[in-house]
Amino acid sequence: MLDILYQDEHLIAVNKPSGWLVHRSWLDRHEKVVVMQTVRDQIGQHVFTVHRLDRPTSGVLLMALSSEVARQMSQQFEHHQINKVYHAVVRGHVHEADTIDYPLVEQLDKIADKFAKQDKDAQPAISHYRGLSQVEVPIAVGPYDTARYSLVELTPQTGRKHQLRRHMKHIFHPIIGDSAYGDLRHNRAVVEHFGCQGLMLHASHLALQHPVTHQPLLISAPWDSRWQNLMTEFGWSSQCPEYNGVEINLAITQDSLVR
């Protein structure tokens, strides 16, 4: 059973666990744990994707309950009319708030994108970030006797593949648990000393205008036990956002989410 964060006759949002695929593809046709199929079985109704989260990313995942609503919501995502706020645990100390404006070349799958154009130009990619808390722990990683980590808030302005993960690597603060772009030594250290496995990237908030009622919605997804345990270990429990379910009729803006 998945945690349903919001549901009406048009939309449903769930708290996607880390490690779950959003939907099955021919590359993962034998995968048994799939969000769309689980939600369909849980509510007894077909669902339609409107956006995706990477398999290792947890948090708010929105789906439509009709093809027409799915089309409208997909347009909102394509036109950057939906605000998304993520939290991540990264290597090193991040104190500042800043913007990463760094174009990204589209990453193609060797099999699925076999016939796609291989030499595409880099596409504009913009992410905003803000350091929330920092810690230095007495564990040796590589040549250092201590390890530094930060809790950051991330807001993508564009939606490129693996954008936040690639952008944090670009500024030398890779996300902990990232096997593709992260620091493997720190990934192993966090597992060994704190028992925390997986990518520490969570889609905490999703702000949108309802496609039918046109009311503004702010949907929030609480952190799982893995996150809560690490927040306790690092002394960051006070940084856990307040999750009040779904807030309606709010003046939701980009600034209100990231400040």
Side-chain angles (χ1 to χ4, degrees), residues 1-258:
M1 296 283 286
L2 290 173
D3 181 17
I4 295 177
L5 305 170
Y6 176 80
Q7 183 179 2
D8 62 23
E9 59 182 309
H10 307 289
L11 298 170
I12 184 169
V14 301
N15 192 357
K16 174 191 169 298
S18 175
W20 284 49
L21 287 172
V22 172
H23 57 75
R24 185 180 290 108
S25 69
W26 68 273
L27 290 172
D28 304 289
R29 58 187 179 276
H30 300 301
E31 181 60 51
K32 296 181 180 179
V33 181
V34 181
V35 172
M36 285 190 66
Q37 182 176 338
T38 301
V39 174
R40 181 197 66 192
D41 295 342
Q42 191 168 330
I43 68 174
Q45 186 176 351
H46 191 68
V47 294
F48 300 79
T49 55
V50 297
H51 73 122
R52 295 185 62 181
L53 292 177
D54 294 341
R55 183 172 187 166
T57 304
S58 57
V60 181
L61 181 69
L62 184 68
M63 289 164 283
L65 298 179
S66 71
S67 58
E68 174 58 23
V69 170
R71 182 188 65 79
Q72 296 178 43
M73 290 308 307
S74 295
Q75 289 180 345
Q76 285 194 41
F77 277 98
E78 290 171 5
H79 296 153
H80 311 299
Q81 297 171 338
I82 294 180
N83 295 329
K84 296 172 283 185
V85 174
Y86 293 74
H87 286 92
V89 179
V90 304
R91 184 192 71 188
H93 279 180
V94 179
H95 297 278
E96 73 281 3
D98 207 343
T99 295
I100 304 169
D101 186 349
Y102 179 69
L104 297 172
V105 175
E106 182 180 2
Q107 293 188 326
L108 301 177
D109 185 273
K110 292 181 180 179
I111 300 178
D113 299 314
K114 181 178 180 180
F115 300 105
K117 183 180 178 182
Q118 301 294 316
D119 56 348
K120 293 183 179 180
D121 295 332
Q123 299 173 310
I126 299 174
S127 303
H128 309 285
Y129 69 93
R130 179 166 69 105
L132 299 178
S133 289
Q134 302 77 34
V135 70
E136 185 167 357
V137 293
I139 60 174
V141 181
Y144 305 102
D145 294 330
T146 61
R148 294 181 173 184
Y149 302 105
S150 295
L151 175 66
V152 297
E153 185 179 79
L154 301 169
T155 307
Q157 185 172 320
T158 53
R160 308 305 177 194
K161 184 177 180 180
H162 298 170
Q163 176 176 311
L164 295 177
R165 297 163 64 181
R166 297 168 71 183
H167 270 176
M168 293 312 292
K169 176 186 178 181
H170 175 67
I171 64 170
F172 306 105
H173 293 291
I175 298 174
I176 297 303
D178 192 336
S179 59
Y181 310 100
D183 185 319
L184 298 183
R185 295 176 302 177
H186 281 270
N187 292 350
R188 288 193 294 266
V190 170
V191 172
E192 179 181 349
H193 293 277
F194 305 107
C196 184
Q197 297 187 354
L199 180 68
M200 295 305 294
L201 178 63
H202 182 78
S204 298
H205 307 290
L206 189 68
L208 65 142
Q209 183 181 68
H210 195 288
V212 178
T213 68
H214 305 296
Q215 289 181 316
L217 300 177
L218 174 59
I219 306 173
S220 300
W223 292 343
D224 60 21
S225 59
R226 181 175 58 106
W227 268 84
Q228 294 175 24
N229 291 339
L230 192 61
M231 296 303 101
T232 299
E233 292 280 359
F234 285 173
W236 294 343
S237 296
S238 63
Q239 288 290 349
C240 182
E242 293 185 7
Y243 295 103
N244 299 315
V246 177
E247 299 181 23
I248 303 175
N249 288 330
L250 297 178
I252 299 171
T253 65
Q254 187 82 7
D255 287 346
S256 70
L257 281 173
V258 300

